[in-house]
Amino acid sequence: MVRFSTAALFSLSTLTPSCIGAFQLSSPAQLPTSRLRRHTNTAPLSAVAVDSGSSDPALVGNLPLPNNNDNEDKNRRMPMMDLKGIALSGLKGQALSVRAEDFPQAKDLRAVIPKDCFEPDTAKSLGYLSVSTMGTILCSVVGANLLSVLDPSNPLTWPLWAAYGAVTGTVAMGLWVLAHECGHGAFSKNRSLQDAVGYIIHSIMLVPYFSWQRSHAVHHQYTNHMELGETHVPDRADKEGEKSLALRQFMLDSFGKDKGMKAYGGLQSFLHLIVGWPAYLLIGATGGPDRGMTNHFYPNPLSTPTQPKKELFPGNWKEKVYQSDIGIAAVVGALIAWTVTSGLAPVMALYGGPLIVINAWLVLYTWLQHTDTDVPHFSSDNHNFVKGALHTIDRPYDKLDPWGIIDFLHHKIGTTHVAHHFDSTIPHYKAQIATDAIKAKFPEVYLYDPTPIPQAMWRVAKGCTAVEQRGDAWVWKNEGIEDLVEHCQSKLSSE
């Protein structure tokens, strides 16, 4: 399947995925990094035998989530394999330490969550929709009035319009999250209302609603799956990832370790945050290789899939893809008409800039929710639904600003994503209750990384290039440059 590779930046042919490649081990969160690296127990990882109780997702993907152990866990276990070449995140190797028997079955995980958490409240969902809608409209009105003062065709005004795009896109991301909730069936029991809301919002943002609904359910079903995962599936170091690793090493050799790593991290950040989302929709960049090259606007694979029975849009979904295209065509037509009558500059200022920011937020969330330097991926023989879902990572998005405004505007999608991956029909306003229940009952497998978001993204951009297989898991390859990858985390730990 076609992917973006940093070695072929301009061809859009192999986008270096940023998925989690580590392995399943015990979580010595309080041990210093040097001690972890010296541990050389090379016993292979045990496959996690968990009955997922589910097959391919149909319309909505309901899945279990990961659980992070906190530092008070009395039953610390040492890693079960050599950690040489693995850079540690704020999880301190926890995801590499979980034993097979630690993973609950889906029914046991569901049982700890209050039943009320699975019931959407239409009135409350509409209330949150009104908040995100009014915030976005307010920003748009301000922007429209700024046109008479700040001519967007004048390059001198571009920094101000970039700031406007950042603010408006950040506010409007809340609408994206609610449309995402519609796609999961977590907005309302009224299916018609739910699909209407989701379809309209996502179409306005150039997201094919039903197409993405299907592919995102597949992503939930096959989280951290090397062959069938959907989005942020890592390259293998012995195959397509070889060129990306070579490019990173070339930058280190050419510019020095410090500057070279910064250059590589910057390139990866640009590829993912700016190029990544449209590339995923158009060519399935970072999608599972066994599905072939995919396109969210055309239902048939663009290349021959290794597993034809696992194609992204089977059966009735093909018609739904075309139904999604109608909404996209309507919005594209409106944008063309707007551009013809008003010019490109106002369209980019009021629409294009905020949309780029929305897309960047989307990729940031999906990237960091399932990717870090010491979190593993698994092949078909060692993957199941619960195991994949419990490798999701909650992060401190509530600390992105002093007041937690961004986390509120985005409906806590990043701080409660573990619960969301356990069962995606849990409404966002009940996800914190579900999160607390999962963390309390299964602390050894609940993953929470306290690393501030900018530092976490920087670590992932530098250290998540390609994976190699160790035992039953695929882990990120960073031998010899662990300290460069962990640099931000080391500074954080010393403060």
Side-chain angles (χ1 to χ4, degrees):
M1 125 163 238
V2 174
R3 314 166 67 80
F4 288 158
S5 167
T6 50
L9 170 61
F10 301 106
S11 67
L12 297 187
S13 63
T14 53
L15 176 57
T16 302
S18 45
C19 300
I20 308 166
F23 33 75
Q24 181 182 327
L25 304 170
S26 145
S27 156
Q30 294 176 327
L31 295 177
T33 300
S34 58
R35 182 177 174 188
L36 282 170
R37 291 224 179 92
R38 288 197 296 269
H39 185 74
T40 58
N41 181 354
T42 57
L45 293 177
S46 300
V48 179
V50 181
D51 180 13
S52 70
S54 60
S55 57
D56 260 357
L59 182 63
V60 177
N62 303 330
L63 321 161
L65 307 155
N67 284 323
N68 181 320
N69 68 356
D70 60 28
N71 293 332
E72 303 304 321
D73 182 13
K74 298 179 181 179
N75 298 314
R76 296 265 167 221
R77 296 175 296 279
M78 290 300 294
M80 296 183 289
M81 64 167 64
D82 186 1
L83 294 183
K84 183 180 180 181
I86 296 174
L88 297 180
S89 71
L91 294 168
K92 303 293 181 63
Q94 179 189 346
L96 309 180
S97 312
V98 183
R99 301 171 303 188
E101 58 267 29
D102 293 328
F103 286 93
Q105 292 191 15
K107 62 181 179 63
D108 297 325
L109 194 54
R110 173 178 286 270
V112 306
I113 299 176
K115 293 181 179 180
D116 178 67
C117 288
F118 303 102
E119 297 294 323
D121 183 329
T122 301
K124 185 170 289 188
S125 295
L126 290 172
Y128 281 103
L129 176 63
S130 67
V131 170
S132 293
T133 300
M134 292 306 297
T136 303
I137 290 175
L138 178 61
C139 289
S140 299
V141 169
V142 171
N145 283 286
L146 285 176
L147 287 176
S148 60
V149 181
L150 301 173
D151 181 4
S153 63
N154 184 346
L156 295 178
T157 68
W158 289 356
L160 295 174
W161 282 112
Y164 166 80
V167 172
T168 302
T170 297
V171 173
M173 180 61 190
L175 288 173
W176 207 109
V177 172
L178 292 176
H180 152 267
E181 201 151 272
C182 290
H184 279 302
F187 188 86
S188 172
K189 288 185 177 181
N190 185 326
R191 182 79 162 271
S192 297
L193 171 66
Q194 183 170 252
D195 283 343
V197 170
Y199 188 94
I200 292 171
I201 293 175
H202 268 172
S203 294
I204 290 173
M205 297 179 179
L206 299 181
V207 179
Y209 176 70
F210 293 117
S211 305
W212 176 86
Q213 182 185 54
R214 162 64 184 176
S215 66
H216 192 64
V218 172
H219 155 70
H220 273 252
Q221 182 70 17
Y222 294 100
T223 302
N224 284 37
H225 194 297
M226 282 295 295
E227 294 83 30
L228 295 173
E230 190 64 21
T231 74
H232 302 294
V233 177
D235 283 335
R236 289 175 47 169
D238 60 346
K239 290 187 176 181
E240 64 275 4
E242 185 177 359
K243 292 182 179 180
S244 297
L245 289 170
L247 175 61
R248 183 173 67 176
Q249 189 59 48
F250 171 78
M251 288 187 169
L252 296 180
D253 294 341
S254 300
F255 306 114
K257 287 188 174 182
D258 187 51
K259 292 182 179 179
M261 186 60 86
K262 289 179 179 178
Y264 182 79
L267 175 60
Q268 286 301 304
S269 298
F270 173 81
L271 281 173
H272 284 81
L273 300 181
I274 306 302
V275 181
W277 178 243
Y280 170 66
L281 292 180
L282 292 172
I283 60 172
T286 78
D290 282 10
R291 300 186 195 284
M293 188 191 303
T294 60
N295 181 292
H296 278 66
F297 307 97
Y298 178 71
N300 297 320
L302 301 181
S303 64
T304 303
T306 305
Q307 298 191 47
K309 292 183 179 180
K310 297 291 185 179
E311 67 172 298
L312 191 56
F313 303 114
N316 293 336
W317 283 103
K318 296 184 185 299
E319 180 182 347
K320 285 182 171 292
V321 170
Y322 292 125
Q323 291 174 3
S324 302
D325 290 347
I326 295 173
I328 300 300
V331 173
V332 170
L335 290 172
I336 292 174
W338 183 10
T339 302
V340 170
T341 57
S342 301
L344 180 62
V347 175
M348 288 302 300
L350 296 181
Y351 179 84
L355 184 63
I356 291 173
V357 173
I358 292 171
N359 293 344
W361 273 115
L362 168 62
V363 172
L364 178 67
Y365 278 119
T366 57
W367 196 11
L368 297 189
Q369 282 159 355
H370 308 291
T371 308
D372 219 321
T373 53
D374 55 1
V375 182
H377 271 72
F378 305 94
S379 291
S380 297
D381 292 343
N382 299 298
H383 181 280
N384 60 54
F385 170 69
V386 171
K387 186 177 182 179
L390 290 178
H391 280 83
T392 301
I393 311 162
D394 280 347
R395 296 188 183 272
Y397 286 92
D398 55 332
K399 295 180 175 60
L400 264 176
D401 59 85
W403 309 278
I405 293 175
I406 293 176
D407 198 39
F408 168 77
L409 290 172
H410 296 176
H411 309 295
K412 298 180 70 67
I413 189 64
T415 53
T416 61
H417 207 70
V418 168
H420 173 68
H421 258 261
F422 165 67
D423 191 312
S424 55
T425 63
I426 297 174
H428 74 271
Y429 42 82
K430 297 182 179 180
Q432 188 62 60
I433 297 173
T435 298
D436 294 341
I438 293 171
K439 180 178 180 180
K441 183 64 176 179
F442 303 106
E444 68 278 4
V445 292
Y446 170 78
L447 300 182
Y448 175 83
D449 185 345
T451 306
I453 304 305
Q455 287 94 321
M457 188 199 78
W458 190 233
R459 179 179 63 230
V460 169
K462 295 184 298 180
C464 295
T465 299
V467 296
E468 60 182 354
Q469 190 169 19
R470 297 191 188 182
D472 294 338
W474 293 84
V475 302
W476 292 107
K477 187 173 183 178
N478 287 300
E479 186 170 356
I481 59 170
E482 298 96 325
D483 291 341
L484 287 174
V485 173
E486 295 175 0
H487 180 61
C488 290
Q489 182 65 24
S490 299
K491 289 180 63 178
L492 186 67
S493 301
S494 65
E495 294 177 353

